Amino acid sequence: MGKADNGLEDEEMTREGAPLFFAIEGKDMTQNQRRLRELRDRQSHERQRMAELSRLESLDDETRAEYDKLESGTPDLERQLRAAERACQHDDKAAEQEAVETGPMSPELRERIELRSRCRVGRIMQWQMQRNASPDGPERELQEHLGLDFNEVPIELWDAPEHRADAPTVSPSAGVGQNLRPIFPKLLARSVANRVMGISMPTVGSGTYATLRLNAGLTASSKAMGAAIESTAATFVSKTTTPHRVSARLSIQLEDKALIGTESFQSRLLSQLSRDLAAKLDDLAINGDPDSVADDPQGVMDQLTNPTDPSAVAKFDDYLALFADAIDGGPMAETMMDVRVLANAEVVQKANKLFRDATNHKGDISAASYLKQHSGGLYGHSRMPATASHIAACIRMRLNAQAMGEGAVTYAECPVWQGIEMIADPYTDSAKATTHWTAHLLFGDILLIQPDAYERVELKVSS
């Protein structure tokens, strides 16, 4: 979505490595799509060949040279893939714009997409800065279309606490009032709920959110000539959730706005407010609320069965089994490329230092490098639970990449209720010249639509 007029930046929610287009066979493919397909075919072929070479007991000069050439070319190939994906994303945006102008869509949908393209989060925030001034223009038109109040930010424009005494954000004691460079944001770990875990976040209206999944029935069988086939009853599994709230708050004193020496002070802090909100939502999606109170949101981790703790420290083959054992032959995972594991940083650190033969020559490749080539990925993330008593809890996911890409399968959902509500309060502490900003977002439990896609697994990383 880009940067808004007042410097506010949106949280990127795009899955890493997941293209935003799905190519059509034949003449409908663009040149960039053909290029990306060729690169992916090459990547698949080279990975297969490297796997074949790695299984040889010994390498002669010719096969060793071939292996070295394939391995040295991997980083360059990945850079070419990323460039091709970005080019395809540009093609998609151009095609969407063309569809808006000429495509076979309803006039209402065309009008909404065009209206959305003219809206800016920054202008909605600016109205709040101006003491709740009444908004107008395309932003207010979109809010009215979605049934939002003027202080609510539509989720489609802004990709998406404990109560404590308000602590105003003051200007720093050094570096103010000078030739100050733009304020740099605080770095936060990227969100993984959508990008890695395949959790979709649909925007929903008022009311309890419910889903249905076909669970059983509608079987097929071969029959002799003239034999009848009987119907079988289809059964469904329902999942529902009510809204939960995540909030973030910012307090700014008038003196500090004057002292800081840059006009971006307030807008940067408000941008950080949105990022903190997104980070907390991502943490809750992974872990849920640790208090285990009935009204608290459920994440993925707190819905999975806790397995028996492993007794031995994980070795190379244990990391390999972490992925290989998840293959079910379909519909979830046909190969290790359909299996992903989300773990804490310690698990990934160990994988990078772990070789198959640690006593002699340490082998040719680490567990992390091997899994990068042959699996859906081992991801280390700071929001995963820390190692406790030498045991690291991980989330293993069977996510068929092709099925996800085609939009045919939804593995998990986290509904979001319409907009992020921004409340500017210059009145409560007006005697102190302090303005409070509060952002609220309503979201649901993580609904595991395909529960077999997610599993808790554990590794013993030390003794």
Side-chain angles (χ1 to χ4, degrees):
M1 291 188 294
K3 185 179 291 185
D5 291 351
N6 67 342
L8 296 177
E9 297 179 357
D10 301 319
E11 179 75 10
E12 182 180 356
M13 300 295 288
T14 306
R15 290 195 310 273
E16 181 182 40
L20 302 181
F21 81 100
F22 305 98
I24 300 173
E25 295 285 349
K27 63 180 181 180
D28 292 331
M29 295 177 66
T30 67
Q31 183 177 355
N32 289 327
Q33 289 170 345
R34 290 192 185 93
R35 171 63 174 164
L36 180 57
R37 180 177 177 180
E38 291 171 358
L39 289 171
R40 284 184 170 159
D41 288 344
R42 173 185 161 191
Q43 182 187 49
S44 176
H45 174 75
E46 290 186 359
R47 283 179 172 177
Q48 178 65 29
R49 183 55 181 158
M50 290 181 72
E52 293 172 355
L53 293 174
S54 67
R55 288 194 291 268
L56 297 178
E57 293 185 0
S58 62
L59 299 177
D60 56 26
D61 292 343
E62 181 179 353
T63 53
R64 185 177 298 278
E66 182 184 2
Y67 192 95
D68 291 343
K69 181 180 179 180
L70 292 172
E71 187 174 37
S72 63
T74 297
D76 185 59
L77 176 58
E78 291 182 348
R79 284 192 291 269
Q80 293 181 56
L81 278 165
R82 288 194 295 269
E85 286 171 356
R86 286 193 294 270
C88 288
Q89 292 170 13
H90 182 273
D91 287 347
D92 284 349
K93 291 178 181 178
E96 179 179 332
Q97 182 61 34
E98 182 180 356
V100 170
E101 297 172 357
T102 63
M105 63 175 66
S106 68
E108 181 181 358
L109 179 57
R110 183 180 295 110
E111 180 181 355
R112 177 172 170 180
I113 294 176
E114 192 276 332
L115 175 63
R116 186 177 61 194
S117 70
R118 293 188 286 117
C119 295
R120 296 293 182 272
V121 173
R123 285 199 284 264
I124 299 176
M125 300 300 299
Q126 191 65 36
W127 298 327
Q128 295 296 302
M129 295 177 189
Q130 295 170 355
R131 303 295 187 262
N132 292 333
S134 296
D136 55 13
E139 291 79 14
R140 184 55 190 149
E141 188 177 345
L142 181 60
Q143 287 174 326
E144 291 177 343
H145 179 80
L146 296 173
L148 303 180
D149 291 332
F150 70 89
N151 63 332
E152 292 181 318
V153 180
I155 288 292
E156 55 193 89
L157 293 184
W158 197 2
D159 288 335
E162 58 181 312
H163 184 73
R164 65 185 79 183
D166 292 317
T169 300
V170 301
S171 57
S173 58
V176 300
Q178 305 172 17
N179 185 17
L180 186 64
R181 294 190 66 194
I183 298 174
F184 297 109
K186 178 181 69 174
L187 294 180
L188 296 171
R190 289 195 299 163
S191 296
V192 294
N194 177 268
R195 179 173 59 92
V196 175
M197 303 176 71
I199 301 173
S200 63
M201 295 187 177
T203 301
V204 300
S206 177
T208 298
Y209 184 75
T211 66
L212 280 179
R213 174 175 61 87
L214 185 62
N215 187 51
L218 306 180
T219 57
S221 62
S222 62
K223 293 292 181 180
M225 180 182 296
I229 179 72
E230 302 296 334
S231 299
T232 54
T235 60
F236 298 87
V237 173
S238 173
K239 290 183 177 291
T240 62
T241 180
T242 54
H244 308 282
R245 176 167 58 89
V246 61
S247 302
R249 186 170 170 89
L250 168 67
S251 299
I252 301 177
Q253 299 176 129
L254 185 61
E255 293 87 347
D256 292 305
K257 289 173 61 179
L259 283 172
I260 192 64
T262 176
E263 295 181 357
S264 66
F265 179 60
Q266 182 167 274
S267 64
R268 287 296 186 184
L269 288 173
L270 287 169
S271 175
Q272 193 66 52
L273 186 69
S274 72
R275 292 177 180 274
D276 288 336
L277 196 70
K280 184 59 178 178
L281 178 59
D282 194 59
D283 177 64
L284 291 170
I286 296 172
N287 301 297
D289 194 294
D291 294 337
S292 298
V293 179
D295 292 337
D296 289 337
Q298 282 192 310
V300 174
M301 182 68 80
D302 57 1
Q303 297 184 63
L304 303 178
T305 302
N306 188 358
T308 302
D309 291 348
S311 57
V313 176
K315 298 181 180 179
F316 188 104
D317 288 345
D318 296 307
Y319 275 85
L320 176 59
L322 195 63
F323 290 81
D325 290 350
I327 297 174
D328 64 358
M332 301 295 180
E334 298 174 345
T335 71
M336 279 177 41
M337 298 302 295
D338 295 326
V339 182
R340 305 176 186 180
V341 172
L342 183 63
N344 64 33
E346 187 175 358
V347 171
V348 182
Q349 290 170 1
K350 181 177 176 65
N352 278 277
K353 296 181 288 186
L354 186 64
F355 293 78
R356 185 180 293 277
D357 184 357
T359 58
N360 296 321
H361 54 77
K362 288 196 171 184
D364 296 322
I365 190 170
S366 70
S369 297
Y370 184 88
L371 293 173
K372 182 178 180 180
Q373 295 177 13
H374 300 284
S375 76
L378 174 64
Y379 296 84
H381 205 273
S382 59
R383 297 184 188 118
M384 286 293 291
T387 300
S389 301
H390 310 292
I391 303 298
C394 311
I395 299 176
R396 179 163 64 189
M397 297 155 281
R398 301 177 180 91
L399 306 178
N400 187 290
Q402 182 177 356
M404 287 179 64
E406 293 170 351
V409 177
T410 297
Y411 290 97
E413 281 189 340
C414 176
V416 177
W417 273 261
Q418 292 291 13
I420 301 170
E421 184 171 3
M422 292 294 302
I423 300 174
D425 176 15
Y427 308 110
T428 301
D429 286 325
S430 59
K432 301 177 183 178
T434 300
T435 298
H436 303 289
W437 298 80
T438 309
H440 300 293
L441 175 64
L442 296 179
F443 66 100
D445 298 318
I446 301 299
L447 304 179
L448 300 182
I449 308 299
Q450 303 292 341
D452 292 341
Y454 299 89
E455 181 182 8
R456 175 170 173 167
V457 291
E458 294 181 342
L459 288 176
K460 187 173 184 179
V461 295
S462 59
S463 59

